[in-house]
mmCIF file of all heavy atoms in Angstrom:
data_model
loop_
_atom_site.group_PDB
_atom_site.id
_atom_site.type_symbol
_atom_site.label_atom_id
_atom_site.label_comp_id
_atom_site.label_asym_id
_atom_site.label_seq_id
_atom_site.Cartn_x
_atom_site.Cartn_y
_atom_site.Cartn_z
ATOM 1 N N THR A 200 6.266 9.487 3.137
ATOM 2 C CA THR A 200 6.046 8.242 2.391
ATOM 3 C C THR A 200 6.005 8.521 0.900
ATOM 4 O O THR A 200 5.653 9.622 0.461
ATOM 5 C CB THR A 200 4.718 7.554 2.780
ATOM 6 O OG1 THR A 200 3.618 8.257 2.183
ATOM 7 C CG2 THR A 200 4.519 7.487 4.282
ATOM 8 N N ARG A 201 6.367 7.508 0.132
ATOM 9 C CA ARG A 201 6.132 7.483 -1.311
ATOM 10 C C ARG A 201 5.444 6.163 -1.600
ATOM 11 O O ARG A 201 6.009 5.092 -1.349
ATOM 12 C CB ARG A 201 7.434 7.609 -2.092
ATOM 13 C CG ARG A 201 7.227 7.622 -3.624
ATOM 14 C CD ARG A 201 8.564 7.748 -4.343
ATOM 15 N NE ARG A 201 9.233 8.989 -3.986
ATOM 16 C CZ ARG A 201 10.557 9.104 -3.826
ATOM 17 N NH1 ARG A 201 11.340 8.042 -3.963
ATOM 18 N NH2 ARG A 201 11.086 10.267 -3.522
ATOM 19 N N GLN A 202 4.215 6.235 -2.097
ATOM 20 C CA GLN A 202 3.389 5.042 -2.244
ATOM 21 C C GLN A 202 2.995 4.843 -3.707
ATOM 22 O O GLN A 202 2.545 5.786 -4.364
ATOM 23 C CB GLN A 202 2.130 5.156 -1.383
ATOM 24 C CG GLN A 202 2.421 5.401 0.101
ATOM 25 C CD GLN A 202 1.166 5.683 0.893
ATOM 26 O OE1 GLN A 202 0.245 4.860 0.937
ATOM 27 N NE2 GLN A 202 1.100 6.844 1.520
ATOM 28 N N ARG A 203 3.158 3.622 -4.169
ATOM 29 C CA ARG A 203 2.725 3.281 -5.527
ATOM 30 C C ARG A 203 1.607 2.250 -5.438
ATOM 31 O O ARG A 203 1.753 1.227 -4.762
ATOM 32 C CB ARG A 203 3.890 2.713 -6.336
ATOM 33 C CG ARG A 203 3.510 2.392 -7.787
ATOM 34 C CD ARG A 203 4.631 1.698 -8.527
ATOM 35 N NE ARG A 203 4.241 1.417 -9.925
ATOM 36 C CZ ARG A 203 4.903 0.593 -10.720
ATOM 37 N NH1 ARG A 203 6.005 -0.022 -10.299
ATOM 38 N NH2 ARG A 203 4.465 0.383 -11.955
ATOM 39 N N LEU A 204 0.513 2.552 -6.117
ATOM 40 C CA LEU A 204 -0.617 1.628 -6.166
ATOM 41 C C LEU A 204 -0.904 1.237 -7.604
ATOM 42 O O LEU A 204 -0.944 2.100 -8.496
ATOM 43 C CB LEU A 204 -1.870 2.252 -5.550
ATOM 44 C CG LEU A 204 -1.830 2.407 -4.029
ATOM 45 C CD1 LEU A 204 -1.429 3.811 -3.646
ATOM 46 C CD2 LEU A 204 -3.163 2.021 -3.397
ATOM 47 N N ARG A 205 -1.098 -0.054 -7.806
ATOM 48 C CA ARG A 205 -1.553 -0.581 -9.093
ATOM 49 C C ARG A 205 -2.870 -1.310 -8.850
ATOM 50 O O ARG A 205 -2.959 -2.162 -7.961
ATOM 51 C CB ARG A 205 -0.517 -1.526 -9.699
ATOM 52 C CG ARG A 205 0.790 -0.841 -10.069
ATOM 53 C CD ARG A 205 1.645 -1.742 -10.956
ATOM 54 N NE ARG A 205 2.014 -2.976 -10.295
ATOM 55 C CZ ARG A 205 2.402 -4.093 -10.942
ATOM 56 N NH1 ARG A 205 2.433 -4.131 -12.271
ATOM 57 N NH2 ARG A 205 2.735 -5.171 -10.261
ATOM 58 N N ILE A 206 -3.871 -0.947 -9.633
ATOM 59 C CA ILE A 206 -5.212 -1.505 -9.458
ATOM 60 C C ILE A 206 -5.724 -1.972 -10.812
ATOM 61 O O ILE A 206 -5.560 -1.289 -11.829
ATOM 62 C CB ILE A 206 -6.175 -0.467 -8.856
ATOM 63 C CG1 ILE A 206 -5.762 -0.132 -7.417
ATOM 64 C CG2 ILE A 206 -7.619 -0.956 -8.893
ATOM 65 C CD1 ILE A 206 -6.622 0.930 -6.772
ATOM 66 N N GLY A 207 -6.355 -3.141 -10.816
ATOM 67 C CA GLY A 207 -7.018 -3.649 -11.999
ATOM 68 C C GLY A 207 -8.488 -3.873 -11.743
ATOM 69 O O GLY A 207 -8.884 -4.264 -10.630
ATOM 70 N N THR A 208 -9.322 -3.597 -12.760
ATOM 71 C CA THR A 208 -10.756 -3.867 -12.660
ATOM 72 C C THR A 208 -11.225 -4.565 -13.929
ATOM 73 O O THR A 208 -10.633 -4.402 -15.008
ATOM 74 C CB THR A 208 -11.568 -2.569 -12.481
ATOM 75 O OG1 THR A 208 -11.345 -1.717 -13.607
ATOM 76 C CG2 THR A 208 -11.169 -1.848 -11.214
ATOM 77 N N ASP A 209 -12.309 -5.320 -13.799
ATOM 78 C CA ASP A 209 -12.865 -5.980 -14.974
ATOM 79 C C ASP A 209 -13.835 -5.039 -15.693
ATOM 80 O O ASP A 209 -13.993 -3.863 -15.316
ATOM 81 C CB ASP A 209 -13.528 -7.305 -14.591
ATOM 82 C CG ASP A 209 -14.712 -7.138 -13.649
ATOM 83 O OD1 ASP A 209 -15.278 -6.023 -13.575
ATOM 84 O OD2 ASP A 209 -15.084 -8.121 -12.982
ATOM 85 N N ALA A 210 -14.490 -5.541 -16.702
ATOM 86 C CA ALA A 210 -15.368 -4.706 -17.525
ATOM 87 C C ALA A 210 -16.564 -4.172 -16.743
ATOM 88 O O ALA A 210 -17.146 -3.144 -17.117
ATOM 89 C CB ALA A 210 -15.850 -5.512 -18.732
ATOM 90 N N GLU A 211 -16.957 -4.841 -15.669
ATOM 91 C CA GLU A 211 -18.081 -4.390 -14.843
ATOM 92 C C GLU A 211 -17.632 -3.483 -13.695
ATOM 93 O O GLU A 211 -18.444 -3.080 -12.868
ATOM 94 C CB GLU A 211 -18.834 -5.591 -14.263
ATOM 95 C CG GLU A 211 -19.715 -6.314 -15.265
ATOM 96 C CD GLU A 211 -18.902 -7.121 -16.255
ATOM 97 O OE1 GLU A 211 -17.952 -7.802 -15.819
ATOM 98 O OE2 GLU A 211 -19.205 -7.051 -17.470
ATOM 99 N N GLY A 212 -16.340 -3.196 -13.626
ATOM 100 C CA GLY A 212 -15.836 -2.330 -12.571
ATOM 101 C C GLY A 212 -15.520 -3.036 -11.273
ATOM 102 O O GLY A 212 -15.350 -2.385 -10.238
ATOM 103 N N ARG A 213 -15.402 -4.368 -11.315
ATOM 104 C CA ARG A 213 -15.021 -5.117 -10.119
ATOM 105 C C ARG A 213 -13.499 -5.236 -10.056
ATOM 106 O O ARG A 213 -12.835 -5.457 -11.070
ATOM 107 C CB ARG A 213 -15.633 -6.520 -10.144
ATOM 108 C CG ARG A 213 -17.150 -6.527 -10.155
ATOM 109 C CD ARG A 213 -17.710 -6.299 -8.772
ATOM 110 N NE ARG A 213 -19.159 -6.424 -8.741
ATOM 111 C CZ ARG A 213 -19.887 -6.405 -7.628
ATOM 112 N NH1 ARG A 213 -19.281 -6.276 -6.467
ATOM 113 N NH2 ARG A 213 -21.197 -6.510 -7.678
ATOM 114 N N LEU A 214 -12.972 -5.128 -8.847
ATOM 115 C CA LEU A 214 -11.523 -5.224 -8.665
ATOM 116 C C LEU A 214 -11.020 -6.614 -9.028
ATOM 117 O O LEU A 214 -11.624 -7.626 -8.658
ATOM 118 C CB LEU A 214 -11.149 -4.912 -7.218
ATOM 119 C CG LEU A 214 -11.317 -3.457 -6.760
ATOM 120 C CD1 LEU A 214 -11.126 -3.361 -5.252
ATOM 121 C CD2 LEU A 214 -10.349 -2.537 -7.472
ATOM 122 N N THR A 215 -9.904 -6.650 -9.742
ATOM 123 C CA THR A 215 -9.224 -7.918 -10.031
ATOM 124 C C THR A 215 -7.873 -7.999 -9.340
ATOM 125 O O THR A 215 -7.343 -9.087 -9.142
ATOM 126 C CB THR A 215 -9.004 -8.086 -11.544
ATOM 127 O OG1 THR A 215 -8.165 -7.024 -12.027
ATOM 128 C CG2 THR A 215 -10.336 -8.054 -12.294
ATOM 129 N N ALA A 216 -7.300 -6.840 -8.967
ATOM 130 C CA ALA A 216 -5.985 -6.839 -8.318
ATOM 131 C C ALA A 216 -5.771 -5.497 -7.633
ATOM 132 O O ALA A 216 -6.246 -4.450 -8.107
ATOM 133 C CB ALA A 216 -4.872 -7.098 -9.322
ATOM 134 N N LEU A 217 -5.045 -5.538 -6.510
ATOM 135 C CA LEU A 217 -4.691 -4.329 -5.768
ATOM 136 C C LEU A 217 -3.289 -4.512 -5.199
ATOM 137 O O LEU A 217 -3.065 -5.404 -4.379
ATOM 138 C CB LEU A 217 -5.702 -4.066 -4.642
ATOM 139 C CG LEU A 217 -5.367 -2.986 -3.612
ATOM 140 C CD1 LEU A 217 -5.109 -1.645 -4.281
ATOM 141 C CD2 LEU A 217 -6.500 -2.863 -2.593
ATOM 142 N N GLU A 218 -2.362 -3.691 -5.657
ATOM 143 C CA GLU A 218 -0.995 -3.709 -5.136
ATOM 144 C C GLU A 218 -0.699 -2.345 -4.525
ATOM 145 O O GLU A 218 -0.927 -1.310 -5.150
ATOM 146 C CB GLU A 218 0.012 -4.007 -6.246
ATOM 147 C CG GLU A 218 1.459 -4.048 -5.742
ATOM 148 C CD GLU A 218 2.451 -4.248 -6.867
ATOM 149 O OE1 GLU A 218 2.555 -3.340 -7.734
ATOM 150 O OE2 GLU A 218 3.113 -5.295 -6.894
ATOM 151 N N HIS A 219 -0.182 -2.355 -3.312
ATOM 152 C CA HIS A 219 0.094 -1.119 -2.581
ATOM 153 C C HIS A 219 1.487 -1.239 -1.976
ATOM 154 O O HIS A 219 1.713 -2.035 -1.069
ATOM 155 C CB HIS A 219 -0.963 -0.920 -1.481
ATOM 156 C CG HIS A 219 -0.938 0.437 -0.844
ATOM 157 N ND1 HIS A 219 -1.990 0.918 -0.101
ATOM 158 C CD2 HIS A 219 0.003 1.414 -0.817
ATOM 159 C CE1 HIS A 219 -1.706 2.125 0.345
ATOM 160 N NE2 HIS A 219 -0.481 2.447 -0.070
ATOM 161 N N ARG A 220 2.435 -0.457 -2.504
ATOM 162 C CA ARG A 220 3.821 -0.484 -2.025
ATOM 163 C C ARG A 220 4.173 0.888 -1.464
ATOM 164 O O ARG A 220 3.855 1.913 -2.075
ATOM 165 C CB ARG A 220 4.782 -0.871 -3.152
ATOM 166 C CG ARG A 220 4.566 -2.290 -3.657
ATOM 167 C CD ARG A 220 5.591 -2.697 -4.705
ATOM 168 N NE ARG A 220 5.375 -4.079 -5.121
ATOM 169 C CZ ARG A 220 5.908 -5.135 -4.501
ATOM 170 N NH1 ARG A 220 6.708 -4.936 -3.453
ATOM 171 N NH2 ARG A 220 5.654 -6.358 -4.922
ATOM 172 N N ALA A 221 4.851 0.891 -0.323
ATOM 173 C CA ALA A 221 5.183 2.149 0.342
ATOM 174 C C ALA A 221 6.660 2.183 0.700
ATOM 175 O O ALA A 221 7.199 1.214 1.250
ATOM 176 C CB ALA A 221 4.338 2.312 1.609
ATOM 177 N N LYS A 222 7.301 3.288 0.379
ATOM 178 C CA LYS A 222 8.653 3.573 0.861
ATOM 179 C C LYS A 222 8.516 4.606 1.977
ATOM 180 O O LYS A 222 7.887 5.653 1.791
ATOM 181 C CB LYS A 222 9.545 4.117 -0.254
ATOM 182 C CG LYS A 222 10.967 4.441 0.217
ATOM 183 C CD LYS A 222 11.777 5.158 -0.848
ATOM 184 C CE LYS A 222 12.296 4.179 -1.884
ATOM 185 N NZ LYS A 222 13.280 4.848 -2.794
ATOM 186 N N VAL A 223 9.099 4.312 3.138
ATOM 187 C CA VAL A 223 8.938 5.185 4.296
ATOM 188 C C VAL A 223 10.306 5.435 4.928
ATOM 189 O O VAL A 223 11.243 4.648 4.751
ATOM 190 C CB VAL A 223 7.980 4.566 5.339
ATOM 191 C CG1 VAL A 223 6.614 4.306 4.723
ATOM 192 C CG2 VAL A 223 8.530 3.277 5.912
ATOM 193 N N ALA A 224 10.414 6.521 5.663
ATOM 194 C CA ALA A 224 11.674 6.876 6.316
ATOM 195 C C ALA A 224 11.622 6.527 7.793
ATOM 196 O O ALA A 224 10.573 6.612 8.439
ATOM 197 C CB ALA A 224 11.954 8.363 6.147
ATOM 198 N N THR A 225 12.772 6.128 8.333
ATOM 199 C CA THR A 225 12.940 5.997 9.772
ATOM 200 C C THR A 225 14.235 6.710 10.139
ATOM 201 O O THR A 225 14.911 7.284 9.281
ATOM 202 C CB THR A 225 12.947 4.526 10.218
ATOM 203 O OG1 THR A 225 12.905 4.475 11.655
ATOM 204 C CG2 THR A 225 14.179 3.791 9.729
ATOM 205 N N SER A 226 14.590 6.711 11.425
ATOM 206 C CA SER A 226 15.808 7.406 11.838
ATOM 207 C C SER A 226 17.030 6.536 11.589
ATOM 208 O O SER A 226 16.921 5.341 11.287
ATOM 209 C CB SER A 226 15.728 7.776 13.320
ATOM 210 O OG SER A 226 15.812 6.622 14.138
ATOM 211 N N SER A 227 18.203 7.111 11.757
ATOM 212 C CA SER A 227 19.446 6.384 11.538
ATOM 213 C C SER A 227 19.751 5.409 12.666
ATOM 214 O O SER A 227 20.572 4.508 12.504
ATOM 215 C CB SER A 227 20.614 7.370 11.405
ATOM 216 O OG SER A 227 20.806 8.082 12.631
ATOM 217 N N PHE A 228 19.056 5.555 13.816
ATOM 218 C CA PHE A 228 19.452 4.815 15.005
ATOM 219 C C PHE A 228 18.333 3.986 15.626
ATOM 220 O O PHE A 228 18.557 3.296 16.628
ATOM 221 C CB PHE A 228 20.008 5.782 16.066
ATOM 222 C CG PHE A 228 19.031 6.857 16.484
ATOM 223 C CD1 PHE A 228 18.217 6.691 17.589
ATOM 224 C CD2 PHE A 228 18.939 8.038 15.768
ATOM 225 C CE1 PHE A 228 17.325 7.678 17.973
ATOM 226 C CE2 PHE A 228 18.050 9.036 16.145
ATOM 227 C CZ PHE A 228 17.242 8.853 17.248
ATOM 228 N N ASP A 229 17.139 4.033 15.052
ATOM 229 C CA ASP A 229 16.029 3.269 15.629
ATOM 230 C C ASP A 229 15.072 2.912 14.503
ATOM 231 O O ASP A 229 15.261 3.300 13.349
ATOM 232 C CB ASP A 229 15.321 4.076 16.717
ATOM 233 C CG ASP A 229 14.667 3.189 17.767
ATOM 234 O OD1 ASP A 229 14.533 1.972 17.533
ATOM 235 O OD2 ASP A 229 14.277 3.713 18.827
ATOM 236 N N GLU A 230 14.042 2.152 14.843
ATOM 237 C CA GLU A 230 13.117 1.660 13.834
ATOM 238 C C GLU A 230 11.681 1.963 14.213
ATOM 239 O O GLU A 230 11.207 1.512 15.248
ATOM 240 C CB GLU A 230 13.250 0.137 13.644
ATOM 241 C CG GLU A 230 14.547 -0.328 13.019
ATOM 242 C CD GLU A 230 15.686 -0.396 14.018
ATOM 243 O OE1 GLU A 230 15.409 -0.678 15.213
ATOM 244 O OE2 GLU A 230 16.834 -0.153 13.633
ATOM 245 N N PHE A 231 11.035 2.778 13.395
ATOM 246 C CA PHE A 231 9.580 2.817 13.348
ATOM 247 C C PHE A 231 9.213 3.111 11.912
ATOM 248 O O PHE A 231 9.556 4.170 11.368
ATOM 249 C CB PHE A 231 8.970 3.865 14.268
ATOM 250 C CG PHE A 231 7.458 3.850 14.198
ATOM 251 C CD1 PHE A 231 6.742 2.945 14.962
ATOM 252 C CD2 PHE A 231 6.758 4.688 13.336
ATOM 253 C CE1 PHE A 231 5.347 2.890 14.882
ATOM 254 C CE2 PHE A 231 5.375 4.643 13.245
ATOM 255 C CZ PHE A 231 4.674 3.739 14.022
ATOM 256 N N TYR A 232 8.534 2.158 11.286
ATOM 257 C CA TYR A 232 8.190 2.260 9.884
ATOM 258 C C TYR A 232 6.684 2.454 9.759
ATOM 259 O O TYR A 232 5.899 1.591 10.177
ATOM 260 C CB TYR A 232 8.626 1.001 9.131
ATOM 261 C CG TYR A 232 10.119 0.756 9.186
ATOM 262 C CD1 TYR A 232 10.681 -0.044 10.186
ATOM 263 C CD2 TYR A 232 10.973 1.316 8.235
ATOM 264 C CE1 TYR A 232 12.052 -0.269 10.238
ATOM 265 C CE2 TYR A 232 12.343 1.085 8.276
ATOM 266 C CZ TYR A 232 12.871 0.297 9.284
ATOM 267 O OH TYR A 232 14.235 0.070 9.331
ATOM 268 N N GLU A 233 6.287 3.597 9.205
ATOM 269 C CA GLU A 233 4.870 3.915 9.013
ATOM 270 C C GLU A 233 4.214 2.816 8.173
ATOM 271 O O GLU A 233 4.596 2.575 7.018
ATOM 272 C CB GLU A 233 4.759 5.264 8.308
ATOM 273 C CG GLU A 233 3.361 5.730 8.037
ATOM 274 C CD GLU A 233 2.728 6.488 9.194
ATOM 275 O OE1 GLU A 233 3.358 6.584 10.263
ATOM 276 O OE2 GLU A 233 1.608 6.986 9.023
ATOM 277 N N PRO A 234 3.191 2.117 8.709
ATOM 278 C CA PRO A 234 2.584 0.988 7.986
ATOM 279 C C PRO A 234 1.559 1.438 6.952
ATOM 280 O O PRO A 234 0.396 1.015 6.959
ATOM 281 C CB PRO A 234 1.948 0.175 9.116
ATOM 282 C CG PRO A 234 1.565 1.200 10.131
ATOM 283 C CD PRO A 234 2.627 2.273 10.067
ATOM 284 N N ALA A 235 1.977 2.295 6.030
ATOM 285 C CA ALA A 235 1.043 2.954 5.122
ATOM 286 C C ALA A 235 0.304 1.973 4.224
ATOM 287 O O ALA A 235 -0.904 2.095 4.003
ATOM 288 C CB ALA A 235 1.788 3.993 4.281
ATOM 289 N N ALA A 236 1.024 0.997 3.668
ATOM 290 C CA ALA A 236 0.385 0.072 2.721
ATOM 291 C C ALA A 236 -0.648 -0.829 3.384
ATOM 292 O O ALA A 236 -1.521 -1.385 2.699
ATOM 293 C CB ALA A 236 1.451 -0.771 2.019
ATOM 294 N N ASP A 237 -0.571 -0.973 4.719
ATOM 295 C CA ASP A 237 -1.545 -1.814 5.417
ATOM 296 C C ASP A 237 -2.973 -1.293 5.283
ATOM 297 O O ASP A 237 -3.935 -2.024 5.550
ATOM 298 C CB ASP A 237 -1.183 -1.927 6.902
ATOM 299 C CG ASP A 237 0.031 -2.813 7.137
ATOM 300 O OD1 ASP A 237 0.610 -3.298 6.155
ATOM 301 O OD2 ASP A 237 0.411 -3.003 8.314
ATOM 302 N N ALA A 238 -3.127 -0.028 4.875
ATOM 303 C CA ALA A 238 -4.473 0.526 4.680
ATOM 304 C C ALA A 238 -5.261 -0.236 3.626
ATOM 305 O O ALA A 238 -6.498 -0.159 3.594
ATOM 306 C CB ALA A 238 -4.375 2.001 4.287
ATOM 307 N N SER A 239 -4.564 -0.977 2.770
ATOM 308 C CA SER A 239 -5.250 -1.718 1.699
ATOM 309 C C SER A 239 -5.638 -3.137 2.092
ATOM 310 O O SER A 239 -6.136 -3.893 1.254
ATOM 311 C CB SER A 239 -4.355 -1.764 0.448
ATOM 312 O OG SER A 239 -4.258 -0.494 -0.152
ATOM 313 N N HIS A 240 -5.443 -3.519 3.343
ATOM 314 C CA HIS A 240 -5.716 -4.896 3.745
ATOM 315 C C HIS A 240 -7.200 -5.233 3.820
ATOM 316 O O HIS A 240 -7.599 -6.347 3.481
ATOM 317 C CB HIS A 240 -5.099 -5.175 5.114
ATOM 318 C CG HIS A 240 -3.627 -5.410 5.084
ATOM 319 N ND1 HIS A 240 -2.872 -5.577 6.215
ATOM 320 C CD2 HIS A 240 -2.763 -5.508 4.054
ATOM 321 C CE1 HIS A 240 -1.607 -5.772 5.884
ATOM 322 N NE2 HIS A 240 -1.526 -5.724 4.576
ATOM 323 N N ALA A 241 -8.006 -4.297 4.302
ATOM 324 C CA ALA A 241 -9.321 -4.701 4.778
ATOM 325 C C ALA A 241 -10.497 -4.084 4.057
ATOM 326 O O ALA A 241 -11.621 -4.557 4.209
ATOM 327 C CB ALA A 241 -9.443 -4.376 6.279
ATOM 328 N N LEU A 242 -10.293 -3.048 3.264
ATOM 329 C CA LEU A 242 -11.429 -2.230 2.862
ATOM 330 C C LEU A 242 -12.106 -2.682 1.578
ATOM 331 O O LEU A 242 -13.335 -2.745 1.490
ATOM 332 C CB LEU A 242 -10.972 -0.778 2.731
ATOM 333 C CG LEU A 242 -12.057 0.277 2.583
ATOM 334 C CD1 LEU A 242 -13.150 0.120 3.623
ATOM 335 C CD2 LEU A 242 -11.430 1.661 2.684
ATOM 336 N N TYR A 243 -11.328 -3.015 0.558
ATOM 337 C CA TYR A 243 -11.905 -3.310 -0.752
ATOM 338 C C TYR A 243 -11.676 -4.762 -1.137
ATOM 339 O O TYR A 243 -10.608 -5.326 -0.912
ATOM 340 C CB TYR A 243 -11.331 -2.353 -1.799
ATOM 341 C CG TYR A 243 -11.727 -0.923 -1.527
ATOM 342 C CD1 TYR A 243 -10.791 0.015 -1.109
ATOM 343 C CD2 TYR A 243 -13.054 -0.515 -1.657
ATOM 344 C CE1 TYR A 243 -11.164 1.325 -0.843
ATOM 345 C CE2 TYR A 243 -13.434 0.793 -1.386
ATOM 346 C CZ TYR A 243 -12.486 1.707 -0.979
ATOM 347 O OH TYR A 243 -12.859 3.000 -0.705
ATOM 348 N N ALA A 244 -12.706 -5.354 -1.752
ATOM 349 C CA ALA A 244 -12.762 -6.805 -1.981
ATOM 350 C C ALA A 244 -12.063 -7.172 -3.283
ATOM 351 O O ALA A 244 -12.712 -7.411 -4.299
ATOM 352 C CB ALA A 244 -14.210 -7.274 -1.996
ATOM 353 N N SER A 245 -10.755 -7.218 -3.234
ATOM 354 C CA SER A 245 -9.991 -7.672 -4.394
ATOM 355 C C SER A 245 -9.576 -9.126 -4.188
ATOM 356 O O SER A 245 -9.159 -9.503 -3.092
ATOM 357 C CB SER A 245 -8.747 -6.806 -4.582
ATOM 358 O OG SER A 245 -7.928 -7.330 -5.600
#
């Protein structure tokens, strides 16, 4: 995977934005895409 994250916080250190983009490899003949960016769905309150 190659993952890019952009995060913003306010002056008190609270999250204002969270972007998580992932480029992942699969095979030439089938599809399974590692859901890496989904790790940012549930944990931090942005």
Side-chain angles (χ1 to χ4, degrees):
T200 76
R201 181 180 299 143
Q202 304 173 59
R203 182 186 181 194
L204 289 98
R205 295 193 299 159
I206 293 177
T208 60
D209 63 20
E211 285 73 44
R213 298 280 185 173
L214 290 171
T215 62
L217 170 56
E218 181 184 65
H219 191 163
R220 295 184 178 273
K222 179 188 281 190
V223 301
T225 189
S226 70
S227 64
F228 58 94
D229 208 346
E230 292 80 32
F231 181 84
Y232 299 92
E233 180 86 356
D237 287 2
S239 290
H240 282 175
L242 192 49
Y243 295 110
S245 173

